[in-house]
Amino acid sequence: PYTTLFRSIQQQELDDKEIICVEDASKDRTLRIIEKYADMDDCIRLINNDVNHGAAYSRNIGIKESKGKYIIIIDGDDCLEKESLEKMYRVSEANELDLLTFSGESFVDEELKEEKKWKVRENIYERRGRYQGVYTGCDLFSEFMKNQDITGNLYLQFVRRQLIDENNIYKNEDIRYGDDSPFSIYMAAKRAVF
């Protein structure tokens, strides 16, 4: 999955991108893969945890170390459509957004599907409602709830970094699995779009 992720990031035409990879002491080949891509691309910076701290700790480190105006969190099994970062950046700048949220698409390795090791729900990250204009984060969250659209995915958000800092919206490191920060981001955002 990492090859797909890095290729999708390298396809992004955004001039001033910063890619922070936090390797959380995994026991597989992840560190070597990240090092390989970091050697090929000056935009990639590796932070290597000496012990496994979990996703919340690692995401906090990545956010705190970042210098960019916007943050997007991407896991190793995610990928971006070509030019998606540029589009998110342009829309966010034009509308002075704190939060731009978007749909995603599930994809699972065909071999895992065939072995039935992974149950796939089609369109799980696709939003069904129609959302026009700029909302407060609270109002957008409310609209998502009315339409029974997925709201709590951290990796479906393009967030102004200042919003996170000003409101101290870092991940709760005591929560090993799961994350409540997406809700906090919605509640703090003054200007949000889907």
Side-chain angles (χ1 to χ4, degrees):
Y2 294 106
T3 301
T4 304
L5 166 65
F6 282 112
R7 284 185 183 150
S8 77
I9 291 172
Q10 289 173 325
Q11 289 179 1
Q12 304 301 312
E13 299 293 328
L14 197 60
D15 292 332
D16 197 21
K17 65 182 177 244
E18 172 188 39
I19 302 160
I20 299 175
C21 299
V22 182
E23 207 298 309
D24 196 26
S26 60
K27 301 198 183 310
D28 58 15
R29 298 181 39 230
T30 302
L31 178 60
R32 286 191 299 261
I33 294 167
I34 296 171
E35 287 173 334
K36 172 186 154 189
Y37 281 95
D39 287 344
M40 295 187 306
D41 191 336
D42 292 338
C43 294
I44 299 173
R45 184 159 55 109
L46 170 64
I47 299 171
N48 190 17
N49 293 344
D50 32 339
V51 297
N52 182 280
H53 292 285
Y57 175 90
S58 297
R59 288 174 175 161
N60 284 343
I61 292 293
I63 291 168
K64 289 174 183 175
E65 288 291 319
S66 69
K67 294 173 181 48
K69 185 172 183 177
Y70 297 97
I71 303 241
I72 183 170
I73 292 179
I74 305 170
D75 288 336
D77 60 348
D78 297 336
C79 67
L80 296 168
E81 288 187 11
K82 190 173 183 174
E83 299 178 4
S84 58
L85 285 181
E86 298 89 340
K87 291 175 186 173
M88 288 186 265
Y89 179 81
R90 279 196 309 267
V91 170
S92 294
E93 284 290 289
N95 293 285
E96 299 177 355
L97 298 178
D98 293 319
L99 169 65
L100 183 148
T101 184
F102 51 93
S103 288
E105 183 177 328
S106 295
F107 63 94
V108 175
D109 185 283
E110 290 301 318
E111 190 176 304
L112 288 175
K113 269 191 206 177
E114 288 173 21
E115 293 176 20
K116 296 187 169 100
K117 290 184 178 177
W118 190 270
K119 186 177 179 181
V120 179
R121 288 184 12 215
E122 297 297 323
N123 303 324
I124 188 172
Y125 302 116
E126 186 176 318
R127 304 235 167 83
R128 295 174 287 280
R130 298 285 172 238
Y131 308 98
Q132 302 294 320
V134 177
Y135 295 79
T136 66
C138 187
D139 287 343
L140 183 58
F141 185 89
S142 178
E143 289 298 312
F144 285 161
M145 295 303 291
K146 287 178 194 172
N147 291 307
Q148 298 180 347
D149 275 336
I150 194 164
T151 57
N153 292 77
L154 188 60
Y155 40 84
L156 296 176
Q157 298 179 344
F158 189 77
V159 183
R160 187 172 53 87
R161 185 184 193 284
Q162 189 177 358
L163 178 79
I164 295 170
D165 290 339
E166 287 174 350
N167 294 282
N168 197 28
I169 307 174
Y170 291 97
K171 318 302 163 225
N172 182 341
E173 295 173 15
D174 294 329
I175 299 174
R176 191 90 171 139
Y177 304 100
D179 188 358
D180 59 352
S181 61
F183 178 76
S184 301
I185 289 170
Y186 280 104
M187 295 306 104
K190 291 180 178 62
R191 297 183 58 80
V193 300
F194 168 75

